[in-house]
Amino acid sequence: MDAINVVHGQRLQSMADYVERHSPAPTRAPGVGNPDDNMDLIAFFTSRFFLFTFVMPIVVLVIFGQFFKTNDADTKKPEKHETLVPANKLHKKQDEKLPQPSEIVSLRIYPIKSCRGIIVNDAKLLRSGLELDRNWMFVDTSSREFQTIRQNAAMTLIKTSLNASRSDLTISIEGTTSTVTIPAKPSDSWLKANCTLTRVNIWGTETDGWAYSDAINDLFTAHFDKPVQLIYKGPEPRISTGSATPELYGEAVPHYFADLLSVQIASEASLKDLNERLASNPDADAEDLTVERFRPNIVIRGNTPWEEDSWKRVRIVNGEKHASTDLDIVSRCARCQVPNVNPDTAEKNAKEPWNSLMKFRRIDTGGVAKYKPCFGMLAIPKEDGELRLGSMLEVVETTEKHLYNTTKFEDL
């Protein structure tokens, strides 16, 4: 270190001597007409002092300037043609807050309204709902009013099944050996030859339906202990209601005999949360509730309980080809006491799960929902598609503005 200081001291002294020699004659340019001056200038410009004091800072500035220029170029937004992700897979700004995709773990259709459903591995998704879902219902022969579990819990003992090709629907009753088999997709000619087109009432609205013959209805009349008729939906469109009316949804979407509209989606995560709450409740049934009590069509595994409350649009992505179908989530599903009925026994619990749901699931202040708990979401498919067990449900949009039978879909 001392040697370095001596060298630097000598050079600084040479610099001082140089300045002193040349300062008295400012009018004479250094190095002009004096060989000694030229030698001093050469020594100065080749000295380490000059290199480290003047040259090196300039070199450093140039290098850093190139570095920041390169970074600026790297952070420039790419042109549109540089995008490698398909447009339909790009997320909006809010997507970073969206729930994670979840697997479809169950697909269910209920051919006859309020009767036992069928678990399937795949289903055609139509704008009117899942194919064969709630295409039939029972009516009181005299009043022409539709019949549900609400009035007769024993309807859960009426079972349905399909043959392998899904061309035939077989109907049976728990505890009996009698069955009825009818075409699952009856042609117009078959209906005209075997049924009678009539008028029926469902939720205060009249629509048409094909009434089956007494030869078929006798089995069900005995079970209901009153005259009833099996009805297949007629050709007259039955327009979705609730939050799916043309005034609220923006278009008229027909469906069959579901209460309000086409499709109901439920989450296993939410059902698990409910069962955990009921576990220590002395009024609840000893066994966990099954999802069939809520009669959904699509059941997902779910990530967080009740995250479905804020869905606005979801997308179902199928298989390797990534074929997808979007569904608009038009409202929450406001519940009656049907889930209190055990579908295996037709026994109705007088209190649960209704009482517990009323304590923490009265979350929608729109219309009649303000007096009811909510479980599941009601949806309308944007187009026809295919559903498969194991497909993924992705949340495309969310909203905090769901108000049952109140808010327009475009305002969500």
Side-chain angles (χ1 to χ4, degrees), residues 81-145:
H81 67 272
E82 294 175 320
T83 302
L84 300 179
V85 182
N88 63 344
K89 299 297 181 183
L90 292 176
H91 295 299
K92 298 179 180 179
K93 289 182 179 179
Q94 70 163 3
D95 284 9
E96 61 188 23
K97 300 179 181 179
L98 295 177
Q100 292 297 308
S102 185
E103 180 186 4
I104 293 177
V105 295
S106 182
L107 293 171
R108 296 165 177 264
I109 58 174
Y110 308 85
I112 306 175
K113 186 176 182 66
S114 274
C115 298
R116 295 297 291 273
I118 304 171
I119 299 175
V120 295
N121 291 326
D122 58 82
K124 289 184 179 180
L125 181 64
L126 310 174
R127 295 215 71 198
S128 56
L130 274 66
E131 186 178 51
L132 300 179
D133 184 63
R134 296 171 172 92
N135 288 15
W136 291 265
M137 71 176 182
F138 285 105
V139 299
D140 182 288
T141 301
S142 299
S143 68
R144 316 307 296 162
E145 289 289 334

Side-chain angles (χ1 to χ4, degrees), residues 250-397:
E251 62 174 304
V253 180
H255 68 130
Y256 291 92
F257 288 136
D259 282 348
L260 300 174
L261 60 142
S262 308
V263 178
Q264 185 199 147
I265 307 176
S267 165
E268 276 192 343
S270 298
L271 179 63
K272 181 181 178 182
D273 179 70
L274 173 59
N275 277 319
E276 289 174 351
R277 293 168 183 266
L278 293 171
S280 59
N281 189 326
D283 295 324
D285 293 344
E287 298 180 353
D288 283 352
L289 304 181
T290 62
V291 76
E292 188 174 3
R293 292 196 182 217
F294 298 91
R295 305 178 65 80
N297 300 113
I298 302 170
V299 183
I300 64 167
R301 192 176 306 282
N303 301 297
T304 303
W306 317 113
E307 69 182 7
E308 62 270 23
D309 288 336
S310 62
W311 292 351
K312 179 182 177 182
R313 180 170 288 126
V314 298
R315 176 173 297 148
I316 295 174
V317 182
N318 295 320
E320 296 178 357
K321 295 183 179 179
H322 299 293
S324 63
T325 304
D326 285 7
L327 297 91
D328 288 334
I329 309 299
V330 298
S331 73
R332 304 180 180 106
C333 186
R335 292 293 174 174
C336 61
Q337 293 196 23
V338 165
N340 283 31
V341 177
N342 184 327
D344 295 321
T345 64
E347 296 177 356
K348 182 178 180 180
N349 187 304
K351 297 181 179 180
E352 298 296 346
W354 171 266
N355 286 358
S356 292
L357 286 169
M358 285 290 285
K359 291 177 182 178
F360 79 105
R361 290 300 298 165
R362 287 181 64 186
I363 60 170
D364 195 316
T365 59
V368 298
K370 68 181 69 174
Y371 309 111
K372 297 183 176 184
C374 294
F375 185 104
M377 305 300 285
L378 298 177
I380 293 180
K382 294 289 289 179
E383 61 274 324
D384 295 349
E386 296 285 338
L387 297 178
R388 296 191 187 95
L389 194 65
S391 296
M392 299 302 291
L393 184 144
E394 300 177 354
V395 180
V396 180
E397 292 184 57

Side-chain angles (χ1 to χ4, degrees), residues 109-116 118 130-139 146-148 155 158 160-162 166-171 180-187 190-191 195 200 202 208-212 216-217 220 229-234 238 255-259 295:
I109 58 174
Y110 308 85
I112 306 175
K113 186 176 182 66
S114 274
C115 298
R116 295 297 291 273
I118 304 171
L130 274 66
E131 186 178 51
L132 300 179
D133 184 63
R134 296 171 172 92
N135 288 15
W136 291 265
M137 71 176 182
F138 285 105
V139 299
F146 75 115
Q147 304 294 292
T148 75
M155 289 185 69
I158 300 175
T160 57
S161 62
L162 294 165
R166 300 186 185 179
S167 58
D168 292 332
L169 175 70
T170 297
I171 311 169
V180 168
T181 299
I182 56 177
K185 302 173 186 177
S187 64
W190 190 94
L191 289 168
C195 302
V200 294
I202 177 170
D208 64 349
W210 293 98
Y212 286 77
I216 290 176
N217 291 325
F220 309 119
Q229 289 181 324
L230 180 64
I231 302 293
Y232 179 77
K233 181 68 186 78
R238 180 170 176 256
H255 68 130
Y256 291 92
F257 288 136
D259 282 348
R295 305 178 65 80

